[in-house]
Amino acid sequence: MEPLNAPIASMAGDTQDEHWMRRALDLALRAQQQDDEVPVAAILLGADQQLLAEGSNRNISEHDPSAHAEIVAMRRGGQLLQNHRLIGTTLYVTLEPCAMCVMAMVHARIARLVFAASDPKTGAAGSVFDLIGSDRHNHRIEVTGGVLAAPASTMLTEYFRAKRRAARPPPV
């Protein structure tokens, strides 16, 4: 297992998806260490496959329930492009998006979603719900899940384990 206190190092033979997911994992770790945020991050590539924007969870530090990593990255991308449509873009996320984020991606016209760990509680790209795959939407998003799922899942598990330990009262 890779140590989580250091950047998730690139490895020879990484695919493009693994390259960008490693960058997202590094960003998630930074959000956890610097802002005590839940370690989730997103990387948005433009239609040209170049970095357009990135974001990490900000909902705790900004007191904003909508400031999930995906929303932060899409907002920054939209501001940069001066457009609410993010046509042809790819969004890399370290955790399967929730329903709010999936619907924002549909409205933004994201072309492709790549996520690491599945979310067994609120995942809306196939785990709990398959909201992203609904044929009722007027836009389809290509989905690839499980890219570097193990380090993403470990990072989240360790974060929540530490939070639960810290919340326990000291032994008497």
Side-chain angles (χ1 to χ4, degrees), residues 3-172:
L4 293 180
N5 59 353
I8 309 297
S10 292
M11 301 174 80
D14 270 3
T15 65
Q16 177 172 318
D17 286 350
E18 290 167 339
H19 168 81
W20 289 111
M21 192 60 72
R22 286 183 196 287
R23 183 170 175 142
L25 287 166
D26 288 342
L27 185 61
L29 182 60
R30 197 170 348 132
Q32 175 187 342
Q33 292 173 338
Q34 293 177 358
D35 300 318
D36 198 26
E37 287 283 352
V38 176
V40 178
I43 302 285
L44 183 66
L45 299 188
D48 61 359
Q49 297 304 297
Q50 298 300 307
L51 179 63
L52 184 61
E54 54 187 25
S56 58
N57 272 11
R58 308 289 312 146
N59 51 310
I60 295 170
S61 59
E62 294 182 8
H63 313 290
D64 179 354
S66 69
H68 289 192
E70 302 92 312
I71 302 295
V72 172
M74 288 188 290
R75 280 180 184 151
R76 291 175 179 166
Q79 290 166 350
L80 187 66
L81 294 175
Q82 293 292 288
N83 196 335
H84 69 289
R85 298 287 192 222
L86 303 172
I87 296 170
T89 59
T90 299
L91 188 65
Y92 289 87
V93 188
T94 59
L95 181 65
E96 179 183 4
C98 69
M100 172 185 71
C101 294
V102 163
M103 289 314 301
M105 290 170 19
V106 168
H107 289 293
R109 306 296 192 262
I110 298 289
R112 183 169 181 245
L113 165 67
V114 180
F115 68 86
S118 295
D119 185 344
K121 296 189 188 237
T122 64
S127 289
V128 178
F129 310 103
D130 192 13
L131 189 56
I132 205 165
S134 173
D135 60 2
R136 294 180 178 203
H137 302 306
N138 61 347
H139 176 71
R140 301 285 176 271
I141 298 172
E142 177 188 335
V143 178
T144 302
V147 176
L148 299 178
S153 183
T154 299
M155 186 182 301
L156 286 159
T157 299
E158 289 179 1
Y159 173 83
F160 286 113
R161 188 174 290 144
K163 286 292 183 189
R164 284 190 299 274
R165 258 192 316 266
R168 284 189 203 132
V172 180

